[in-house]
Amino acid sequence: MEKMPKWADVVLIPLISLILAAILSALVILAIGENPIEAVKLMVTGALGSTYGWGYTLYYATNFMFTGLAVAVAFHARLFNIGGEGQAMLGGLGVAMVCLYIPWPHWSIALLAACAGSMLFGAAWAAIPAYLQAKRGSHIVITTIMFNFIAAAFLNYVLVNLMRPPGAQDPSSARFPEAVHLPTFQSMFSTAENVVFKGTPVNITFFIAVLACFVVWALIWRTRLGYEIRSYGKTETGAVYAGISPVRITIIAMLISGALAGLMAINNVMGEAERLVLNATEGAGFIGIAVALMGRSHPFGVFLAAILFGFLYQGGAELAFWTSIPRELIVVIQALVILFTGALDNMVRMPLEKLFLSLRKGVQ
């Protein structure tokens, strides 16, 4: 018998954790001499009060959906993939190679090829840590962290020595041809009389991210492979007894995870920068860990958590611009959210479990 209803685990615990993080954040804002209520109003107005704010919020959320799904798939196999940052970097390299070196007649065809390229490069970068974990017993956390640094160094070398246009100073590739530029929300939803999402980078990749949430849900809960991944994640001994290969599941789960992280490059490389730059990921691979934790590794939870962190990113930028509150405060708020939804999860869970058990006994 479950100690608490499923809805309480998926909705109530994250909600209480978020409220606790918000209370502590308000105390931090008070401690630096600012009004927390005004700060929240400014964040909400800046992130959600206009199509401009929504444009940036959804752009950041798109990145976090991909990296959150990547971490969530690995979590289901009891693997802690911290390499989303490096896998997204290499996914960007795959996108750049597809967009720069193959002539495309239309963005739609280029988008399909870029998706394949980004997933292939991201999965390839996850394959080596997966093999080392499955075959050699190397800890996946250590190897994926190391591969983040290796990816950054490798990408720096490629951009500086191989892909940088002649005469350019910054480490970046040439700009992608106009034929592969993705439609933005501004071009998709604006009219002659009403221009919306003006100047924002949110683009058609947002819908790919939402589709990825549905695909991951179907994979994990509606396929045999998903059942094997979840079974292995719950109990390795039972999975082996049932004939499930730990090596196979470890490698497949990490390949899927790496492919999802690599897919993020469609948004920031092909959709926003329209070229490959050195620090395009901007920490989204690490934010994906928090998104997966808060979303309970469920695609719908990942979607909601990604929107929340997109709000924090855009709202924090507005906060830093219009007040004396430093931009780093948003990092503090994110850390508090991660702390309560991850490390201090049992602080909320255990009292709720006792409450629901007592209520159940009272009904009986």
Side-chain angles (χ1 to χ4, degrees), residues 1-43:
M1 180 184 294
E2 292 185 354
K3 294 182 180 180
M4 70 171 68
K6 187 67 176 178
W7 66 267
D9 183 42
V10 174
V11 178
L12 190 57
I13 292 178
L15 182 61
I16 294 175
S17 299
L18 189 60
I19 291 172
L20 292 174
I23 292 172
L24 277 183
S25 300
L27 294 177
V28 171
I29 295 173
L30 278 173
I32 63 175
E34 296 286 344
N35 187 334
I37 296 177
E38 292 300 319
V40 170
K41 286 181 180 179
L42 186 57
M43 288 182 68

Side-chain angles (χ1 to χ4, degrees), residues 60-280:
Y60 294 128
T62 302
N63 289 337
F64 302 150
M65 279 183 221
F66 286 124
T67 56
L69 290 173
V71 175
V73 169
F75 273 166
H76 281 294
R78 206 176 55 186
L79 298 167
F80 200 176
N81 179 18
I82 308 186
E85 191 82 356
Q87 291 148 20
M89 289 181 193
L90 268 292
L93 181 59
V95 170
M97 294 181 69
V98 167
C99 292
L100 285 174
Y101 302 129
I102 302 176
W104 299 103
H106 194 264
W107 65 263
S108 58
I109 305 173
L111 177 59
L112 295 175
C115 286
S118 63
M119 293 173 71
L120 179 63
F121 275 63
W125 201 247
I128 303 174
Y131 174 83
L132 293 174
Q133 165 81 19
K135 287 288 192 177
R136 301 297 180 184
S138 302
H139 202 290
I140 199 73
V141 171
I142 303 301
T143 53
T144 50
I145 288 175
M146 290 170 59
F147 268 66
N148 284 334
F149 292 102
I150 297 171
F154 176 69
L155 189 62
N156 182 68
Y157 173 83
V158 170
L159 288 175
V160 171
N161 297 283
L162 301 177
M163 299 185 74
R164 184 171 56 171
Q169 297 297 317
D170 58 326
S172 64
S173 72
R175 197 167 188 83
F176 298 163
E178 191 172 344
V180 304
H181 291 181
L182 296 180
T184 64
F185 274 28
Q186 179 180 338
S187 63
M188 293 166 64
F189 300 117
S190 293
T191 63
E193 298 78 21
N194 184 28
V195 178
V196 294
F197 298 103
K198 185 176 181 180
T200 63
V202 63
N203 58 81
I204 198 171
T205 314
F206 173 78
F207 300 112
I208 299 176
V210 174
L211 178 61
C213 291
F214 282 103
V215 171
V216 170
W217 172 81
L219 169 70
I220 297 298
W221 279 278
R222 290 295 183 270
T223 67
R224 178 176 177 176
L225 175 61
Y227 176 77
E228 291 177 346
I229 290 174
R230 287 185 290 117
S231 298
Y232 176 74
K234 292 290 185 182
T235 166
E236 181 179 351
T237 304
V240 171
Y241 182 77
I244 298 172
S245 168
V247 172
R248 172 176 168 268
I249 292 301
T250 297
I251 292 178
I252 289 177
M254 281 298 295
L255 288 177
I256 295 172
S257 179
L260 286 165
L263 200 55
M264 188 197 90
I266 299 297
N267 188 46
N268 62 342
V269 174
M270 189 178 182
E272 192 265 333
E274 295 171 346
R275 59 176 182 157
L276 180 60
V277 297
L278 185 59
N279 194 28

Side-chain angles (χ1 to χ4, degrees), residues 328-339:
E328 287 72 21
L329 179 66
I330 301 306
V331 179
V332 174
I333 296 175
Q334 291 170 356
L336 289 171
V337 172
I338 296 169
L339 181 67

